[in-house]
Amino acid sequence: MKIRTMLLAATVAAIAFPAFAAWPERPLTLVVPWAAGGGTDAVARILAAGLEKELGKPVNVVNRTGGGGVVGHTEMVNAKPDGYTIGLATAEVTTYYWSNTAPFTYEKLTPLALVNFDSAAFNVAANSPWGDLRAALDDIKKQPVGHYKLSGMAAGAAYHLAFAGLLQLEGINPKSVAVVPSQGAAPGFQELASGGVQIVPSSLPEGKPMFDAGRVKALAVMSKEVISAFPKVPTVKQAIGKDYEGGTWRGLAAPAGLPADVTARLVEATDKVANSDAYKNFLAERGFGYAFAKGPAFGTFLATQHKNNGEIMGALGLRLRQ
């Protein structure tokens, strides 16, 4: 009788408290807000391969393009917060709210990890009269608004905001240099080499073909440290004695409201992948900048980016919300 009672209690307990399989139980989707074949897509695919090994489930990369990244970021924000849909957020997510391009801010995302930062460089033509960053900034400050022009992106893009922030650091009107919009750095460098514009703020790897051809030079890079592949290019600190960082970035994120245990599992898995030799070597070989900020630290980074971009966009007349 006693044994039967114990078996019955065990059965009732099993019914009342069923055993749940550990998360994840099925494949994940990694949303990329930019087209296949681009830099963000490449970073997403190496991350996905690593996460598959760490989580033991397939991680399928899905490109959701359109609206300057708005379509893909909107899908990240609106996904069910169960961890099965995550995304590779990019710098643009901290500008959409200010430009009234999308109704959400970074607060609608659960920050998992910052995994990349590509610092902007101050690139000029090889025959530019500016021999260093100080000479360039002093000259820009003396000239009327619009006297000098830059290209390589659309107005309000990450590298434009990085450049404008550098001007603000020096007390220069960020509107001083006009933007000649282009579909990326390549056509911008062609304009630079032909004399149509005087500056292209871009990553150093994007300028390498033109550096190698002797048509372009970089006066400084907006990073904390010298980029190892470009040891002759000084940082802003080395050039003018002031700390300044600016550029574009990518980070893994999920919808807001993600359960704490799922968040912890994804953060742990991303930590291992992003700090692996395979991932770091991948970035280095392709000229991407390495950066890592885990969970809450990435959240702090997003908050700072949101605030700073709002201020810079306001100064540039691109801010449509308060």
Side-chain angles (χ1 to χ4, degrees):
M1 183 67 179
K2 185 176 181 180
I3 294 175
R4 289 178 62 189
T5 301
M6 290 174 64
L7 288 173
L8 179 62
T11 301
V12 171
I15 295 172
F17 303 101
F20 290 98
W23 187 93
E25 300 178 68
R26 53 187 173 84
L28 282 69
T29 295
L30 174 55
V31 176
V32 178
W34 304 99
T40 302
D41 180 69
V43 172
R45 292 182 188 278
I46 189 70
L47 284 172
L51 289 173
E52 283 189 2
K53 293 179 181 178
E54 293 297 329
L55 298 174
K57 296 293 180 183
V59 178
N60 302 310
V61 175
V62 177
N63 300 88
R64 295 283 189 254
T65 61
V70 172
V71 171
H73 284 99
T74 299
E75 184 162 327
M76 295 179 212
V77 166
N78 292 338
K80 185 177 180 181
D82 56 10
Y84 289 105
T85 298
I86 57 179
L88 192 60
T90 59
E92 289 73 17
V93 76
T94 54
T95 67
Y96 294 145
Y97 178 81
W98 300 121
S99 63
N100 203 26
T101 306
F104 54 81
T105 72
Y106 71 94
E107 294 173 313
K108 292 296 183 180
L109 292 170
T110 295
L112 301 175
L114 175 70
V115 296
N116 157 252
F117 191 97
D118 290 334
S119 299
F122 194 117
N123 302 307
V124 300
N127 62 357
S128 170
W130 300 328
D132 54 42
L133 182 61
R134 170 51 61 206
L137 293 172
D138 287 348
D139 190 17
I140 291 170
K141 194 169 188 177
K142 295 175 184 176
Q143 304 300 335
V145 172
H147 180 78
Y148 291 123
K149 298 177 177 62
L150 66 80
S151 191
M153 79 299 291
Y159 287 135
H160 178 212
L161 298 184
F163 178 83
L166 177 61
L167 296 186
Q168 283 191 312
L169 179 70
E170 282 291 288
I172 302 171
N173 180 352
K175 295 181 182 180
S176 291
V177 180
V179 178
V180 177
S182 72
Q183 296 297 316
F189 276 116
Q190 291 300 324
E191 277 289 308
L192 180 63
S194 66
V197 300
Q198 292 73 44
I199 305 161
V200 169
S202 77
S203 68
L204 286 170
E206 287 176 304
K208 190 175 188 304
M210 298 295 273
F211 300 150
D212 293 345
R215 301 180 69 187
V216 169
K217 61 184 179 183
L219 300 183
V221 62
M222 304 172 202
S223 62
K224 280 185 178 179
E225 300 176 349
V226 170
I227 306 300
S228 60
F230 301 87
K232 295 182 179 180
V233 180
T235 65
V236 171
K237 174 78 174 207
Q238 291 172 329
I240 64 172
K242 297 180 181 179
D243 284 312
Y244 184 72
E245 287 183 271
T248 193
W249 54 265
R250 302 172 178 97
L252 210 62
L258 201 65
D261 57 335
V262 175
T263 299
R265 185 75 196 283
L266 282 168
V267 168
E268 178 186 13
T270 307
D271 189 348
K272 291 181 179 179
V273 175
N275 285 296
S276 67
D277 289 340
Y279 180 73
K280 290 181 178 180
N281 290 339
F282 170 86
L283 294 184
E285 288 168 4
R286 287 158 180 77
F288 292 112
Y290 176 75
F292 184 75
K294 186 176 179 179
F298 181 32
T300 300
F301 173 86
L302 286 170
T304 300
Q305 289 285 304
H306 177 77
K307 177 178 179 293
N308 291 347
N309 285 341
E311 292 174 354
I312 295 171
M313 290 175 74
L316 288 167
L318 299 173
R319 178 170 167 171
L320 302 179
R321 290 191 185 194
Q322 298 305 310

